[in-house]
Amino acid sequence: MKNITFATIALAALVQTALAAGKCGTQTCSQSTPCCVGGYCNSNAQYCMPILCEAANSFSPSSCWNTAHCVKSNVAFGSPNAFAQIADYDGNPADAAFVSQFEPSNAKVVNGELQMALVKQNNGAGFGATVIGTRAFQYGTVTAVMRSGCASGGVVSSFIIRNEKVGDEIDFEFVGADTATVQSNYYWHNQLDYTKMVKSPALSDTTLNYHTYQIQWTPDQIVWLVNGNAFRTVKRSDTWDAAANTFKYPDSESYISVGIWDGGSGAKGTADWAGGAIQWNKQPFVAAVKSITIDCYYNGNETTYVPSGGNGGGSSSASSSTTASPTSTSSGSSSSGGDSGSGSSSSGGSSNGSSGSKTGSSASSKATSSASTRSSKSAHSSQSESDSSVDEDSGSDSPSSSEDSSTGNGAGSLAASFGVLASALLAAYVAL
């Protein structure tokens, strides 16, 4: 009897564990659509890239693609392997240094430069673009030669370093309300303090002229430069929060992105910051990037920094890691914005393409790329996706492909679970 009781209890525990494993919202991801993002399962890059993929909620922890780490590079967008549409990306960063995060895509390479457009949708809001790096980046120098697409109030362009899951961000943001400066800001763990925004000195029209924007990020400080001239420095030591007993300094491995989105359709604070509703008679709105240069802090290839004792400070160490081939792919992005009525921005990379509340950052289209959209929304605070409403509506539409496959996914996982249970039950009887 004792054996039977023990076997029964063990089997019940196994049943509970199996049924709870891999829960993605109301779905259970299957082997054919293994990656979970925001409650939906799929097998493409938007879902499986590590920037958004939820390993604990996917078919298995190894379903999410492996993280490719920093490699020193000079990405000229007229060269091969610089850019790919996300639908064509299979997880190998050697094939594409940057990918367009959303579909339909408003990003493409034209005449040797990356062009990202903001276009008007039937509902009157704009749908933009976010292009994100395929390698994670933690400390170093990132330089973008670009011009903004902010030829009207309401249009926002961005150049950002962001960890969508943690909420750390360092950014440059351009708003149509002011084409003679660029704004700088940083955020820690999604604490969106727009009062920390600092503008650059006066520049020649950022929509007509290419300027060189650079972020130097080390464990000790962040420096923002335009055309080689530093105009802002934030030291880690100055971010100490005694009440929280921590440095509120962005230090998590992140992703580099550039984008354009509709801030004028967002909440009032975001719209005011961006310059009001977009004047569509001033189209086209196209942000263009000639090159992005990445210099890894640890000089090398695939290195990752792990803060000693977490975010709290102390010495740091660099550990080398080899990137394994990915098993699937995902999307990623960052975003930002300037909601909260203050008008500064908050994040900027992953957005869908639509309008803007400061939570997503680049373009927001709430409809086609729900996985990316969803994640960017929650992470930033305004620009990207929800830029127009990421923060506010937080509601990107769910991906139809994911929804279509959800029933099958659940059935496949349940079948596998019951197979395991059957084996366990048989083993229990044999033991008796």
Side-chain angles (χ1 to χ4, degrees):
M1 262 325 254
K2 287 183 179 179
N3 287 339
I4 294 176
T5 301
F6 177 78
T8 302
I9 293 173
L11 186 58
L14 181 59
V15 171
Q16 184 176 8
T17 300
L19 292 179
K23 200 68 176 175
C24 181
T26 58
Q27 310 179 39
T28 302
C29 295
S30 71
Q31 191 166 7
S32 60
T33 54
C35 303
C36 175
V37 174
Y40 297 91
C41 303
N42 213 314
S43 60
N44 62 28
Q46 286 183 325
Y47 289 75
C48 298
M49 282 176 67
I51 186 172
L52 296 178
C53 188
E54 301 166 18
N57 301 325
S58 295
F59 177 71
S60 75
S62 61
S63 295
C64 298
W65 296 355
N66 293 314
T67 299
H69 302 285
C70 186
V71 169
K72 184 174 182 178
S73 57
N74 181 10
V75 181
F77 285 98
S79 62
N81 304 327
F83 171 77
Q85 302 297 345
I86 198 164
D88 300 325
Y89 183 61
D90 64 0
N92 183 358
D95 294 337
F98 287 83
V99 295
S100 177
Q101 194 172 350
F102 304 103
E103 292 182 313
S105 174
N106 289 327
K108 59 185 177 180
V109 174
V110 179
N111 297 327
E113 66 180 15
L114 173 67
Q115 295 187 356
M116 299 168 290
L118 179 69
V119 298
K120 188 176 184 179
Q121 303 178 95
N122 292 335
N123 64 1
F127 182 92
T130 296
V131 171
I132 191 162
T134 55
R135 289 183 178 275
F137 174 80
Q138 187 174 36
Y139 301 136
T141 298
V142 184
T143 307
V145 178
M146 64 182 290
R147 62 176 174 80
S148 78
C150 307
S152 162
V155 181
V156 182
S157 300
S158 60
F159 166 32
I160 293 172
I161 300 170
R162 179 170 173 83
N163 181 311
E164 196 67 49
K165 293 178 179 177
V166 174
D168 284 353
E169 179 178 323
I170 305 166
D171 65 40
F172 275 111
E173 292 195 287
F174 308 81
V175 295
D178 179 6
T179 60
T181 67
V182 62
Q183 299 181 6
S184 67
N185 214 333
Y186 71 97
Y187 304 93
W188 178 82
H189 289 201
N190 279 331
Q191 293 184 13
L192 307 176
D193 182 355
Y194 304 115
T195 64
K196 295 184 301 184
M197 184 273 286
V198 172
K199 292 184 180 181
S200 71
L203 303 169
S204 59
D205 193 325
T206 61
T207 66
L208 301 176
N209 301 291
Y210 290 87
H211 295 285
T212 301
Y213 303 93
Q214 185 176 91
I215 296 171
Q216 297 176 356
W217 178 33
T218 72
D220 301 314
Q221 67 179 22
I222 305 165
V223 182
W224 288 259
L225 305 90
V226 178
N227 299 327
N229 300 311
F231 69 92
R232 181 183 189 182
T233 298
V234 170
K235 294 185 178 297
R236 182 176 185 276
S237 58
D238 293 334
T239 67
W240 175 254
D241 185 323
N245 193 35
T246 191
F247 289 97
K248 293 189 173 180
Y249 182 81
D251 66 357
S252 58
E253 193 171 36
S254 302
Y255 287 84
I256 300 161
S257 69
V258 287
I260 186 170
W261 54 278
D262 176 0
S265 296
K268 186 178 186 302
T270 298
D272 290 346
W273 163 76
I278 292 177
Q279 297 174 273
W280 291 102
N281 62 327
K282 292 187 176 182
Q283 294 185 86
F285 305 126
V286 179
V289 184
K290 289 185 176 180
S291 65
I292 295 178
T293 302
I294 301 166
D295 190 357
C296 312
Y297 181 74
Y298 295 108
N299 295 322
N301 295 322
E302 319 245 356
T303 54
T304 299
Y305 168 82
V306 180
S308 176
N311 185 267
S315 61
S316 63
S317 63
S319 61
S320 242
S321 64
T322 301
T323 301
S325 327
T327 314
S328 339
T329 21
S330 117
S331 83
S333 198
S334 67
S335 109
S336 110
D339 222 338
S340 95
S342 84
S344 131
S345 57
S346 121
S347 43
S350 111
S351 96
N352 252 359
S354 109
S355 72
S357 92
K358 288 213 140 185
T359 49
S361 135
S362 124
S364 93
S365 109
K366 300 185 241 178
T368 53
S369 87
S370 60
S372 314
T373 300
R374 195 176 312 280
S375 86
S376 39
K377 292 181 171 189
S378 57
H380 298 69
S381 100
S382 84
Q383 328 190 137
S384 275
E385 237 250 74
S386 79
D387 274 21
S388 82
S389 90
V390 166
D391 295 44
E392 322 223 273
D393 55 334
S394 137
S396 59
D397 298 287
S398 51
S400 58
S401 55
S402 305
E403 296 180 68
D404 294 341
S405 64
S406 63
T407 303
N409 292 348
S413 287
L414 281 176
S417 298
F418 281 118
V420 172
L421 292 177
S423 298
L425 183 59
L426 178 61
Y429 271 108
V430 170
L432 291 176

